Amino acid sequence: TLGKLVFFIGLAVLALVAFAHWAPLEAPETKGAVPGTVVLDVKGNVLERDAREGFRIPVTLDAIAPRMVQATISAEDRRFWQHPGVDPIAVGRAVLNFGTRPSGASTITQQLARRLYLNGDEGPLLVRKLREAFIAFQLEARRSKREIVELYLNDVYYGRGAYGIESAARVYFGISAGNLDLAHASYLAGLPQRPSAHAPAIDETPARARQAYVLGRMVEDGWISRTEAEAAAAQPIRVLPAVQSPIAHQFVSYALAEVARAQPDLAGRRGLIVETTLDSGLQLEAERLVALHLDGLADRNVTNA
């Protein structure tokens, strides 16, 4: 009897491996979020974006600060580098706590599978979870761990219309994902769980509480020391206003018109990233000096009158 059980288990494992490697699956790169158009200046700063649909700026994993990767793994899936797409320890804990203390069991790979392939699926929970697990196995069989975490960090939603870590870093802090330090990385890593609740508005307390949780997990996982966590938690974080005035709107309109003229097939397409030659810092300084000069002229006219 034991021999038969071992045989059937082995057969099931082989079937799962074969399924993961050979069952049809669309490339994940073709399934990501396609939000609105974003226009960037010469240094990558956001000049204007489609506030209705959000925006996304894809980057490679090498362009993301290592602390951001560590913070994300600690916050979402601390055994990411070891499991095959589904974490049996997390699944067992979720089953034991079912109905008493809910415990998340979805790995980063499962979350990616759900976002890319099962968005809008409203079937029974068990069926959805099984489909999610099977797709996660397929992704793990066909992509490296680095590719999976890169896909996740480029697609996950951080609130404020920001899809992906590069967009989030720019919309919250005005910097690139490669320049995130521990404090800012742990802050952003805490947002995807509940973007609407944790994204800072008037009250920053929920975001800071979630940041403290992420830092605590990073200490437990050995990424940082307790001293580093305390220093990061105490570090002031300046979050940009949720709604910012567009920069050089006339120039942006001109740039989009040039895109439509040069590439008519792109006009109206969603998800465009338009890079321009404008330096937003110089533009804002020029506008400030012009306004200052005009104020001086107005004061002079009043005096002469």
Side-chain angles (χ1 to χ4, degrees):
T1 304
L2 180 59
K4 288 183 179 180
L5 179 61
V6 172
F7 172 77
F8 283 116
I9 291 176
L11 195 63
V13 170
L14 287 175
L16 182 59
V17 170
F19 171 85
H21 281 88
W22 304 112
L25 184 73
E26 293 182 68
E29 290 83 0
T30 67
K31 304 291 288 183
V34 185
T37 293
V38 58
V39 182
L40 307 177
D41 79 347
V42 70
K43 297 179 181 178
N45 297 309
V46 177
L47 295 176
E48 203 166 309
R49 60 189 176 90
D50 191 334
R52 297 168 301 172
E53 299 182 336
F55 71 115
R56 182 164 68 100
I57 306 174
V59 290
T60 64
L61 194 62
D62 291 334
I64 301 172
R67 286 300 192 207
M68 187 65 221
V69 179
Q70 295 167 356
T72 298
I73 290 172
S74 285
E76 300 293 335
D77 183 6
R78 61 201 323 178
R79 284 175 290 276
F80 171 74
W81 299 108
Q82 290 79 41
H83 64 64
V86 175
D87 185 352
I89 296 176
V91 171
R93 185 179 62 244
V95 171
L96 290 174
N97 293 332
F98 184 76
T100 56
R101 189 180 60 184
S103 175
S106 291
T107 63
I108 281 176
T109 317
Q110 286 175 272
Q111 291 180 49
L112 186 63
R114 183 167 61 247
R115 286 187 59 83
L116 299 186
Y117 298 94
L118 301 175
N119 194 15
D121 189 341
E122 298 180 353
L125 177 61
L126 181 58
V127 174
R128 282 189 283 120
K129 284 297 180 182
L130 286 174
R131 292 185 64 194
E132 181 183 292
F134 283 134
I135 295 173
F137 284 132
Q138 289 180 279
L139 288 172
E140 291 273 351
R142 304 174 194 201
R143 297 303 174 99
S144 69
K145 288 287 188 178
R146 284 180 57 85
E147 288 176 312
I148 290 170
V149 76
E150 179 180 297
L151 285 164
Y152 177 85
L153 285 170
N154 273 302
D155 192 73
V156 67
Y157 184 63
Y158 289 89
R160 287 193 175 187
Y163 291 86
I165 187 57
E166 183 70 17
S167 300
R170 293 190 183 282
V171 77
Y172 283 104
F173 308 129
I175 61 176
S176 68
N179 291 326
L180 291 168
D181 59 15
L182 176 59
H184 292 79
S186 57
Y187 191 99
L188 290 180
L191 299 182
Q193 186 196 55
R194 294 176 61 197
S196 59
H198 293 143
I202 298 174
D203 183 11
E204 223 183 31
T205 304
R208 279 295 202 174
R210 181 67 179 165
Q211 179 199 29
Y213 168 80
V214 174
L215 289 168
R217 299 267 291 197
M218 292 181 75
V219 172
E220 294 172 5
D221 294 339
W223 297 118
I224 59 175
S225 67
R226 178 63 61 184
T227 301
E228 289 175 305
E230 292 173 351
Q235 180 177 325
I237 291 183
R238 178 179 170 271
V239 177
L240 297 176
V243 179
Q244 300 185 71
S245 301
I247 301 172
H249 178 68
Q250 289 83 358
F251 176 81
V252 169
S253 298
Y254 167 77
L256 292 176
E258 282 297 293
V259 170
R261 182 188 65 79
Q263 297 286 338
D265 58 312
L266 294 180
R269 184 179 296 183
R270 298 167 63 234
L272 292 181
I273 301 172
V274 181
E275 299 176 338
T276 71
T277 57
L278 185 83
D279 186 316
S280 59
L282 293 178
Q283 175 70 22
L284 291 173
E285 180 62 13
E287 290 178 4
R288 186 187 70 83
L289 292 174
V290 168
L292 192 64
H293 182 66
L294 291 175
D295 287 343
L297 289 176
D299 290 343
R300 193 177 307 165
N301 290 335
V302 170
T303 302
N304 292 336

Coordinates of all heavy atoms in Angstrom, one line a residue, residues 12 32 36 38 56 71 78 80 95 101 126 143 154 172 176 203 208 221 250 268 278 283 297-298 302:
A12 N 2.1 12.0 -9.8 CA 1.5 13.3 -9.8 C 2.5 14.4 -9.9 O 2.3 15.4 -10.6 CB 0.7 13.4 -8.5
G32 N 1.1 42.5 -19.0 CA 1.2 43.5 -17.9 C 0.1 44.6 -18.1 O -0.5 44.8 -19.1
G36 N -2.0 54.7 -18.9 CA -2.0 55.8 -19.8 C -0.6 56.3 -20.1 O 0.4 55.7 -19.7
V38 N 2.8 58.7 -20.4 CA 3.5 59.5 -19.5 C 4.6 60.2 -20.4 O 5.2 59.6 -21.3 CB 4.2 58.7 -18.3 CG1 5.1 57.6 -18.9 CG2 5.0 59.6 -17.4
R56 N 3.1 53.7 -16.1 CA 4.1 52.7 -15.8 C 5.3 53.0 -16.5 O 5.3 53.4 -17.7 CB 3.5 51.3 -16.1 CG 4.5 50.2 -15.8 CD 3.8 48.9 -15.8 NE 3.3 48.5 -17.1 CZ 4.0 47.6 -17.9 NH1 5.1 47.0 -17.4 NH2 3.5 47.3 -19.1
A71 N 13.3 44.5 0.5 CA 12.1 44.9 1.3 C 10.9 44.3 0.7 O 10.0 43.9 1.5 CB 12.0 46.5 1.2
R78 N 8.9 35.9 2.0 CA 10.2 35.8 2.5 C 11.0 34.5 2.1 O 12.2 34.5 2.2 CB 10.2 35.9 4.0 CG 9.4 34.9 4.8 CD 9.0 35.3 6.1 NE 10.0 36.1 6.9 CZ 9.7 36.6 8.1 NH1 8.6 36.4 8.7 NH2 10.6 37.3 8.7
F80 N 10.8 33.4 -1.0 CA 10.7 33.5 -2.5 C 11.9 32.8 -3.2 O 11.6 32.1 -4.2 CB 10.8 35.0 -2.9 CG 10.9 35.2 -4.4 CD1 9.8 35.0 -5.2 CD2 12.1 35.7 -4.9 CE1 9.9 35.2 -6.6 CE2 12.2 35.9 -6.3 CZ 11.1 35.6 -7.1
V95 N -4.1 27.3 6.2 CA -5.1 26.3 6.4 C -5.4 26.2 7.9 O -6.5 26.1 8.4 CB -4.7 24.9 5.8 CG1 -5.6 23.8 6.3 CG2 -4.6 25.0 4.3
R101 N -7.6 33.3 12.3 CA -6.7 34.4 12.1 C -6.2 34.3 10.7 O -5.3 33.6 10.4 CB -5.5 34.4 13.1 CG -4.7 35.6 13.0 CD -3.5 35.5 14.0 NE -2.7 34.4 13.7 CZ -1.6 34.0 14.4 NH1 -1.3 34.6 15.5 NH2 -0.9 32.9 14.1
L126 N -11.6 28.3 -4.3 CA -10.7 27.1 -4.4 C -10.3 26.9 -5.8 O -9.1 26.7 -6.1 CB -11.4 25.8 -3.9 CG -10.6 24.6 -4.0 CD1 -9.3 24.7 -3.1 CD2 -11.4 23.4 -3.5
R143 N 10.8 30.8 -16.1 CA 11.5 32.0 -15.9 C 12.4 31.9 -14.7 O 12.0 31.2 -13.7 CB 10.5 33.2 -15.7 CG 9.7 33.5 -17.0 CD 10.6 33.8 -18.2 NE 9.8 33.9 -19.4 CZ 9.4 35.1 -19.9 NH1 9.8 36.2 -19.3 NH2 8.8 35.1 -21.0
N154 N 7.7 45.5 -11.8 CA 7.3 46.4 -12.9 C 5.8 46.5 -13.1 O 5.3 47.3 -13.8 CB 7.9 46.0 -14.2 CG 9.3 46.6 -14.4 OD1 9.5 47.8 -14.4 ND2 10.3 45.8 -14.5
Y172 N 5.9 59.4 -5.8 CA 6.0 59.6 -4.3 C 7.1 60.5 -3.9 O 7.0 61.4 -3.0 CB 6.0 58.3 -3.5 CG 4.7 57.6 -3.5 CD1 4.4 56.5 -4.3 CD2 3.7 58.1 -2.6 CE1 3.2 55.9 -4.2 CE2 2.5 57.4 -2.5 CZ 2.2 56.3 -3.3 OH 1.0 55.7 -3.3
S176 N 14.4 58.1 -9.0 CA 14.3 56.9 -9.7 C 14.4 55.7 -8.7 O 14.9 55.9 -7.6 CB 15.5 56.8 -10.7 OG 16.7 56.6 -10.0
D203 N -3.3 61.7 6.4 CA -2.7 60.9 7.6 C -1.7 60.0 7.1 O -2.0 59.1 6.3 CB -3.9 60.2 8.3 CG -3.4 59.5 9.5 OD1 -2.2 59.7 9.9 OD2 -4.1 58.7 10.1
R208 N 3.4 54.6 7.6 CA 4.5 54.5 8.5 C 4.4 53.2 9.4 O 5.4 52.6 9.6 CB 4.6 55.7 9.5 CG 5.2 57.0 8.8 CD 6.6 56.7 8.5 NE 7.4 58.0 8.4 CZ 8.7 58.0 8.3 NH1 9.4 56.9 8.2 NH2 9.3 59.2 8.2
D221 N 14.8 38.6 8.6 CA 15.3 37.9 7.5 C 16.8 38.1 7.3 O 17.4 37.5 6.4 CB 14.6 38.3 6.2 CG 13.1 37.9 6.2 OD1 12.8 37.0 7.0 OD2 12.3 38.5 5.5
Q250 N 2.5 73.4 -22.6 CA 2.5 73.7 -24.1 C 3.6 72.8 -24.8 O 3.4 72.3 -25.9 CB 2.8 75.2 -24.3 CG 1.7 76.1 -24.0 CD 1.7 76.4 -22.5 OE1 2.5 75.9 -21.7 NE2 0.7 77.3 -22.1
G268 N -3.0 58.1 -29.8 CA -4.1 57.5 -29.1 C -3.8 56.2 -28.5 O -4.6 55.7 -27.7
L278 N 13.5 68.3 -22.9 CA 13.3 69.4 -21.9 C 14.0 69.0 -20.6 O 13.9 67.9 -20.1 CB 11.8 69.6 -21.7 CG 11.5 70.8 -20.8 CD1 11.6 72.1 -21.6 CD2 10.1 70.7 -20.2
Q283 N 13.5 74.5 -16.8 CA 12.2 75.1 -17.1 C 11.6 75.8 -16.0 O 11.1 76.9 -16.1 CB 11.3 74.0 -17.7 CG 9.9 74.4 -18.0 CD 9.8 75.3 -19.2 OE1 10.7 75.3 -20.0 NE2 8.7 76.1 -19.3
L297 N 8.3 94.5 -13.3 CA 7.8 95.5 -14.2 C 6.4 96.0 -13.8 O 6.1 97.2 -13.9 CB 7.6 94.8 -15.6 CG 8.9 94.5 -16.4 CD1 8.6 93.7 -17.6 CD2 9.7 95.8 -16.7
A298 N 5.6 95.2 -13.2 CA 4.3 95.6 -12.7 C 4.4 96.6 -11.6 O 3.7 97.6 -11.6 CB 3.5 94.4 -12.2
V302 N 3.3 100.6 -11.6 CA 2.4 101.2 -10.6 C 3.1 102.4 -10.0 O 2.4 103.5 -9.7 CB 2.1 100.2 -9.5 CG1 1.5 100.8 -8.3 CG2 1.3 99.0 -10.0

